[in-house]
Amino acid sequence: MGLWLCRDTCDRASDRCLRCFPCLSDPGRRSSLCLKLALVVLHLVYAGILFIFDRDLIEKTRQEPWYTALYLLLFVATLSQYFFTSGSSPGYVLDAMRDFNEADALFSRRAMASNTESSNRPTCVWHVDVLMIKQRQPASSKNGDIVVTVDRNQFVKPLLGSNATSWTKLVMDMYPPGSSIRNCTCSYCNVVQPPRAKHCHDCDKCVLQFDHHCVWLGTCIGQGNHCRFWWYIFEETVLCLWTGILYITYLKANVTKEWWVDVIMILLLASLSISLIFLLLLLLFHSYLVMTNQTTYELVRRRRIPYLRGIPERVKPFSKGLCRNLYKFCCAPSSIYTMEPLPSALELEEKSKPYTCVDTLSCRCC
């Protein structure tokens, strides 16, 4: 009887909790929240142990408050960047398609309201890398960034022999001629995927420039938040390194004191060292991806991705040089969806040529 009453009380408390916090009813979101809570607790434990046992650090704080203030500022900035990145959108294909359709609908209303000649009609520009949609000009591509100028009538009409929308035509222009819509359509979202997009089974959405699904963040890393993810790794690495230095400084000054405190500090320092090695490798790996304009998915599954299967591994098809890759990664506004077409055979042949001194002087590699 007592066991039944206890179970009934627990069920009622659980129901009330789920009513107050509906997000906890989803097992996936519940596990993500638990991981986030665990990560915050780990940060608090590593930093709190220092201020509890290290008397020298407390004394140094009184003499040089700026040192501890900088450490605490980095601590808060790292956690803030973590939650900022986890709550950001990676750039979903459905959102990009919706924005494009809204821009196209706006273009249609303006075109219908205008009675002037076609050359004076208003132009609707939708940012897809360097994408411009104008009137009465054929489609063309240039310099690896797609520049599409489409006749308004052809843009609205379905493609020959199909009921494809303007979004479908836009995306198919980014693939080589002869590509099949069936091969480019996601079987889960039923949407035509632009190059470098992939369906994430954890998020159940297609992501632009899909990199990977981060379990610790509880979200995908893609075009919209890859830069924020890199900065989070960088801040986490610096914080981990600084904390490790503080632990080593404490052990050097207090190694002959209370042994049980030293055991705790050594165990924490050992786990901190393992985390630092992992973070350093992850930071270097993603720095390489940024400099070559690649994603983790493209690098790991290159032989299985249809549009990369026939390209030599030494060729980086989407790289535009070190400087331009860094500029695009760091300075591109996150509110604009960018999509890159597949390079032509001529561009691939040009990228496959080895760099020479003349290329370096002419900034071809940059």
Side-chain angles (χ1 to χ4, degrees):
M1 183 68 178
L3 181 63
W4 180 82
L5 288 174
C6 181
R7 184 178 300 175
D8 185 62
T9 304
C10 292
D11 291 340
R12 290 180 180 178
S14 177
D15 292 338
R16 290 179 181 177
C17 182
L18 292 178
R19 279 196 294 269
C20 296
F21 304 98
C23 60
L24 296 178
S25 59
D26 184 6
R29 297 183 67 181
R30 186 165 60 243
S31 62
S32 177
L33 288 173
C34 291
L35 283 173
K36 292 177 182 178
L37 180 62
L39 187 134
V40 172
V41 170
L42 279 175
H43 281 73
L44 294 175
V45 167
Y46 279 107
I49 291 291
L50 278 172
F51 288 95
I52 292 174
F53 294 127
D54 195 350
R55 304 298 177 186
D56 296 336
L57 180 60
I58 297 176
E59 186 63 28
K60 188 175 182 178
T61 303
R62 293 172 182 172
Q63 297 175 358
E64 301 176 351
W66 61 268
Y67 183 83
T68 306
L70 284 176
Y71 177 79
L72 293 177
L73 181 63
L74 177 62
F75 182 87
V76 174
T78 302
L79 287 180
S80 301
Q81 185 69 26
Y82 170 77
F83 285 103
F84 183 60
T85 306
S86 65
S88 61
S89 170
Y92 297 113
V93 175
L94 287 174
D95 294 339
M97 185 174 66
R98 184 188 65 245
D99 290 353
F100 173 76
N101 289 335
E102 289 177 357
D104 185 54
L106 178 63
F107 184 93
S108 300
R109 289 195 295 269
R110 289 181 178 180
M112 292 177 63
S114 175
N115 294 323
T116 58
E117 293 182 358
S118 60
S119 59
N120 297 325
R121 289 179 184 175
T123 300
C124 173
V125 178
W126 189 76
H127 295 275
V128 184
D129 211 4
V130 191
L131 170 66
M132 297 183 295
I133 301 172
K134 297 182 180 179
Q135 296 174 342
R136 295 200 179 280
Q137 293 181 8
S140 62
S141 63
K142 178 180 179 182
N143 295 333
D145 293 334
I146 188 162
V147 180
V148 181
T149 53
V150 182
D151 182 274
R152 180 60 195 163
N153 297 325
Q154 295 176 359
F155 198 82
V156 176
K157 288 191 299 183
L159 294 177
L160 294 175
S162 68
N163 57 351
T165 62
S166 54
W167 167 261
T168 303
K169 186 180 187 309
L170 170 69
V171 173
M172 294 309 297
D173 283 339
M174 300 180 185
Y175 288 94
S179 299
S180 173
I181 296 179
R182 181 179 301 176
N183 297 333
C184 304
T185 303
C186 175
S187 57
Y188 300 94
C189 299
N190 198 26
V191 63
V192 181
Q193 294 178 334
R196 311 190 75 182
K198 182 186 178 297
H199 184 87
C200 176
H201 295 282
D202 295 288
C203 299
D204 198 24
K205 292 181 180 179
C206 290
V207 179
L208 293 169
Q209 290 188 23
F210 175 83
D211 189 88
H212 72 285
H213 183 88
C214 183
V215 178
W216 284 100
L217 290 170
T219 186
C220 273
I221 304 301
Q223 182 189 102
N225 58 0
H226 198 180
C227 183
R228 298 169 186 171
F229 177 73
W230 187 93
W231 279 110
Y232 165 66
I233 299 173
F234 176 77
E235 293 173 10
E236 194 74 75
T237 303
V238 175
L239 179 64
C240 189
L241 179 62
W242 196 344
T243 307
I245 292 173
L246 292 176
Y247 270 78
I248 294 173
T249 304
Y250 169 83
L251 289 172
K252 284 183 177 180
N254 304 275
V255 72
T256 59
K257 295 186 178 180
E258 299 174 340
W259 64 271
W260 61 274
V261 176
D262 291 341
V263 170
I264 294 176
M265 299 293 281
I266 290 172
L267 290 175
L268 290 176
L269 179 60
S271 61
L272 201 63
S273 302
I274 297 173
S275 301
L276 179 60
I277 294 173
F278 172 76
L279 286 169
L280 275 173
L281 293 175
L282 189 63
L283 180 64
L284 292 173
F285 175 70
H286 277 274
S287 299
Y288 168 74
L289 294 178
V290 170
M291 290 187 292
T292 55
N293 194 13
Q294 296 184 91
T295 64
T296 303
Y297 172 68
E298 290 173 345
L299 187 65
V300 175
R301 298 295 183 92
R302 182 167 182 137
R303 296 183 179 180
R304 299 186 180 182
I305 301 175
Y307 58 82
L308 294 178
R309 194 176 297 158
I311 302 175
E313 293 190 6
R314 70 177 184 277
V315 178
K316 313 299 186 294
F318 299 105
S319 177
K320 296 175 178 59
L322 177 61
C323 295
R324 278 173 284 187
N325 290 340
L326 291 176
Y327 176 80
K328 182 180 178 182
F329 182 80
C330 300
C331 304
S334 58
S335 59
I336 296 177
Y337 298 106
T338 61
M339 297 189 296
E340 301 172 86
L342 294 177
S344 63
L346 267 174
E347 291 171 336
L348 289 175
E349 184 180 354
E350 187 69 22
K351 291 176 185 291
S352 63
K353 294 179 181 178
Y355 293 119
T356 62
C357 296
V358 177
D359 294 328
T360 305
L361 292 175
S362 61
C363 298
R364 173 176 172 244
C365 60
C366 296

